[in-house]
Each structure stands twice: as C-alpha cells, then as structure tokens.
Amino acid sequence: MPTFTAVFITALLLTTVTQLWLAIRHIRHIRAYRNQVPQDFASQIDLAAHQKAADYTCARTRLDFPSTFIHVLLLLMLTLGGGLNTLASFWANWFTDPILHGMALIISTVLLLSVIEIPFSYYRTFVIEQQFGFNKMTPIMFFSDLIKQYTLGFLLGVPLLFVMLWLMEKMGNSWWLYAWLAWVAFNLFLLAIYPTWIAPLFNKFSPLEDTSLRARIEQLLHKCGFESSGLFVMDGSRRSSHGNAYFTGFGKTKRIVFFDTLLSRLKASEIEAILAHELGHFKRHHVIKRIVWSFIVSLAFLWLLGYLMQQNWFYQGLGVTVPSVPSNAMALLLFFLVMPVFTFLLHPLSSLYSRKHEFEADEYAAQNASAADLIHALVKLYQDNAATLTPDPIHSAFYDSHPPAAIRVAHLKKLISA
C-alpha cells in the first residue's frame, strides 16, 4: 500500500470516528439534561419548550450518522474505488481539449455529490422540520429552490471553473497566484451582487414599514456610524418559522435585513439590541477580518495545490491514474475532495475565533443598546428556533460559531453588573 494511501485512510478513519463520537456525545448530553430547564432560563422557557429543543437537536444530529457514512463511502468510491478514473475515461471519449475535459470531469462530480445530498435535505425539511412545526415549504417550493440553486451555481461556477483551469494551463508554475487573484475578485463580486441580484431569487424583500421601529433603528445606525442602502423585511415565514436578522452586501450595497418572523416575535427594544449586536460585527471589523482571513487561507491552499499537483504520490495514493502528470482538473478535484478530511481537526480553532467575535459583538451591543433586552431577545430566539440550551461542551467547541446559550447569557449579565 502506498504511504499516502495509508495516511489518507488513517485521516479519514480518524475524522469519521471523531464526527460520530461527537454526535453520540451531543445526543447523550442533551438527553441527560432534557428533563430540567437550566436555572438561568427557567423564568422564560418552560419545560415543554426545553424538551422540544432537546428532541429537535437530537433528531437533526441523528441524521449525521447516515449522512456521514454515505459521504465517506462515496469519497472512497470516487478515489480508491476508481470512480474518478472511470469518469475521466468516459469524458475523454467526448473531449480532447484538457480544459473542456477537466470542466466536464469536475462538473459531473459536483453534480453527483449534490444529488446525493438531496434526500438528506428533503428528509431534514419535510420530516424533521415538519415534525417540530418549523417547515412552511411545499415540495414544489423545495424543488423550485433546487432548480434555482443549480442554475445559479452553473451560471456563476462554470465561468469561474473555466478561468481557474485556463490559468492552471497557461500561467506556468505561478498559476496559483493568478488563480488566487481571480478567486478574490470573484468573491468580492458575489458580495456586491448578492443583496440585489441573488437573494431576491429566493425571498421577497420589502422596505420596513413600521415608522416607529424604523426611526429607532435609524437613530441607532446614526449613533454607530453605519450607512445602509435600506432596511428590509424578508418573507422568511414562507419557508420556515425560524427567525433571524443580518446585514449583507459590500460598500454601498450594504443593507439590513429582518426576517418577518423575528419582527413578529420581538419587542422594538429587543430588535434594537439584536441589531446592535450585528452592528458590533461591523464596528469591530469582524466581517473584513473574516474575509481577509479566508483569502489568506485560500492563498495557502492554492500554493499547496500547486505543489501537490506535481507529485505522482498524490495521485497514486488516492487511487487515481492519469495519462500525464500534472493533471490540472484531477488535482483540483482531488484536493477539494480530500482536504476536509485533513483539516477537520482544525474546526475548534475556527469556532473559537468566531465565538470570540460573538462576545465582542455582544459587548458592543451592551454599550450601545440594552444588554438586558439582548438577553430577552436571545432567549426568545433560542425558544422559537428550538436551539438547545444544553449542548455537549466538546461538540460545541468543534462546531458552534456562537457561544452556548448559558455562557453567552452569563457573559451579558456580567456586562450589566460591571
């Protein structure tokens, strides 16, 4: 067995076992605390709501087991099982140009992976979300959204893929630097067009009509020095009863968006506190920091890919035979298929960085709005979204971008008493 094959299998086994172990821990921990509401939340959340959140979280987590097994099996079939070899040979009968052949290979693989995900998404929506009273979608709406997503992915992804493969083919050993510049430009382009061109394909956005709330929000925006292209309400209730708020866009296209479900549930002071938290991300430059960090990581990954694609052991260790090395499209495909296997154990670092930003945004909200109102709003959102109040600490450390409810509320209470 080639050395890299052994390394890959070991990493895949370690990642898979860790994922399943975390899921088991999470379910057991939630069940252990299912029958008692944590003391800090007992006055606002009753036992029935707490148990609903526990059952909902466990149901979603249990879906990870078949999903994980299917994706591991598919990865092994594509790599060591010879699936990519078969696809490459099939498309070689249709395309002799290396760029067109590479595009066909990558697109067909991505479509296969996407189709495999559809049953899990359907089950999550029409069984789990339906069972707990969150789903508002119909099957027609579900598949209509899928068609839109695939069409949008094709229109945006195919040109990007062509540019990447062309740069890999024509730019010599420094191709990864040019590809990175193209990737940066593409992502900035998406940030600019998302609010006005992409988001409206899936939801309806209308101006915030509540004049009292609008005046309150505009006063907060002026206080925080935030310029927005508008305040909008999104018809999230057409698909789900979950609620949220966010700001999106880049430069002059920045806009603030409220789910209609959130506006119907929270008081004006609580909405202001939630928005102050979101503005905290802006004022503390979290969005820019995350964008810059993602660009740095992508540059490092592309450099690494530039090295790996020159190594025979990289292809052979993953069960791939190619007529010549390097094979641009095959290397690109292999890299993004197996990289999650080798980076999974780094998830806690990413989650820790994100949770640090959440604490900072909470501190900003406490300074510019009411920490007490933010606590009340968060508790309502935890209840409305059936977010568990008792996640397993290790599971949370791996996956959660936000601090656990108990820790977050305790931090806000300290800010009040400080």
Side-chain angles (χ1 to χ4, degrees):
M1 178 186 295
T3 301
F4 189 61
T5 302
V7 171
F8 170 62
I9 292 175
T10 301
L12 181 60
L13 181 62
L14 178 61
T15 294
T16 304
V17 169
T18 302
Q19 289 173 332
L20 298 177
W21 173 70
L22 288 170
I24 292 171
R25 279 188 59 97
H26 195 42
I27 291 172
R28 287 178 176 175
H29 191 276
I30 291 171
R31 284 178 173 173
Y33 292 92
R34 181 181 182 274
N35 294 320
Q36 184 176 357
V37 181
Q39 185 176 355
D40 289 342
F41 301 93
S43 62
Q44 290 182 265
I45 296 180
D46 59 29
L47 181 60
H50 175 65
Q51 291 178 331
K52 175 184 176 180
D55 295 341
Y56 174 66
T57 305
C58 289
R60 288 178 61 88
T61 305
R62 278 194 295 269
L63 189 59
D64 291 344
F65 294 105
S67 176
T68 298
F69 282 121
I70 291 296
H71 284 90
V72 168
L73 180 61
L74 183 59
L75 177 59
L76 288 173
M77 289 175 61
L78 287 172
T79 54
L80 303 182
L84 292 180
N85 285 331
T86 301
L87 281 174
S89 298
F90 171 80
W91 289 116
N93 296 324
W94 291 81
F95 301 104
T96 56
D97 180 81
I99 294 179
L100 295 179
H101 176 266
M103 291 181 66
L105 173 63
I106 292 174
I107 291 171
S108 58
T109 304
V110 170
L111 283 175
L112 174 61
L113 294 172
S114 300
V115 168
I116 293 296
E117 180 59 31
I118 291 176
F120 294 104
S121 180
Y122 191 91
Y123 182 88
R124 190 178 297 111
T125 300
F126 293 102
V127 176
I128 297 177
E129 296 290 311
Q130 189 81 27
Q131 176 185 349
F132 289 92
F134 293 123
N135 178 49
K136 299 293 182 65
M137 295 185 72
T138 64
I140 292 177
M141 188 182 297
F142 177 86
F143 287 107
S144 174
D145 282 354
L146 275 182
I147 293 172
K148 291 178 184 177
Q149 290 167 9
Y150 285 150
T151 302
L152 187 63
F154 184 86
L155 293 176
L156 293 174
V158 170
L160 176 65
L161 178 59
F162 174 82
V163 169
M164 288 294 182
L165 292 178
W166 186 87
L167 291 171
M168 294 174 78
E169 183 78 18
K170 305 297 183 180
M171 292 294 109
N173 292 335
S174 298
W175 69 265
W176 52 272
L177 181 58
Y178 296 100
W180 178 73
L181 293 174
W183 174 250
V184 169
F186 176 76
N187 278 272
L188 294 178
F189 171 71
L190 284 185
L191 285 172
I193 69 169
Y194 179 82
T196 53
W197 292 97
I198 297 178
L201 295 174
F202 299 92
N203 290 97
K204 180 181 177 181
F205 294 81
S206 56
L208 178 64
E209 296 180 352
D210 187 327
T211 55
S212 175
L213 179 59
R214 172 180 284 274
R216 186 166 191 156
I217 291 174
E218 288 176 346
Q219 184 178 2
L220 175 64
L221 297 179
H222 178 73
K223 178 182 178 181
C224 297
F226 184 90
E227 295 184 5
S228 170
S229 64
L231 306 175
F232 294 88
V233 179
M234 189 185 84
D235 63 338
S237 58
R238 289 183 61 237
R239 289 172 169 78
S240 172
S241 61
H242 292 300
N244 204 348
Y246 64 94
F247 68 83
T248 183
F250 192 74
K252 294 182 178 180
T253 66
K254 294 195 301 292
R255 58 170 57 182
I256 294 170
V257 178
F258 299 98
F259 284 41
D260 55 358
T261 47
L262 180 134
L263 294 180
S264 66
R265 184 74 173 92
L266 301 185
K267 299 177 182 177
S269 60
E270 294 168 347
I271 294 171
E272 181 183 26
I274 288 289
L275 180 57
H277 169 88
E278 296 301 326
L279 292 174
H281 287 304
F282 166 74
K283 295 297 289 186
R284 296 292 183 258
H285 308 294
H286 295 160
V287 176
I288 296 297
K289 289 177 180 177
R290 292 176 188 180
I291 291 173
V292 171
W293 178 244
S294 70
F295 288 162
I296 293 173
V297 171
S298 64
L299 178 63
F301 278 175
L302 286 170
W303 173 85
L304 178 59
L305 173 57
Y307 166 77
L308 291 175
M309 65 185 294
Q310 303 290 336
Q311 312 304 314
N312 288 332
W313 55 262
F314 176 65
Y315 303 92
Q316 295 170 357
L318 295 173
V320 171
T321 58
V322 292
S324 62
V325 175
S327 173
N328 297 334
M330 186 64 79
L332 184 64
L333 187 55
L334 283 174
F335 185 81
F336 286 102
L337 282 176
V338 306
M339 187 51 59
V341 174
F342 292 98
T343 59
F344 174 74
L345 294 180
L346 298 177
H347 275 207
L349 296 178
S350 174
S351 297
L352 180 64
Y353 185 62
S354 177
R355 289 195 297 272
K356 177 178 180 293
H357 286 174
E358 294 303 321
F359 282 128
E360 291 176 359
D362 280 348
E363 291 171 2
Y364 183 85
Q367 294 168 1
N368 292 275
S370 166
D373 282 327
L374 181 56
I375 291 174
H376 293 150
L378 289 173
V379 173
K380 287 181 181 179
L381 291 177
Y382 291 140
Q383 181 174 356
D384 290 352
N385 295 326
T388 181
L389 303 175
T390 57
D392 173 66
I394 298 180
H395 184 278
S396 179
F398 259 84
Y399 293 113
D400 289 350
S401 60
H402 289 61
I407 295 176
R408 189 173 183 184
V409 169
H411 179 254
L412 283 167
K413 287 182 176 179
K414 287 182 180 179
L415 296 175
I416 295 175
S417 61

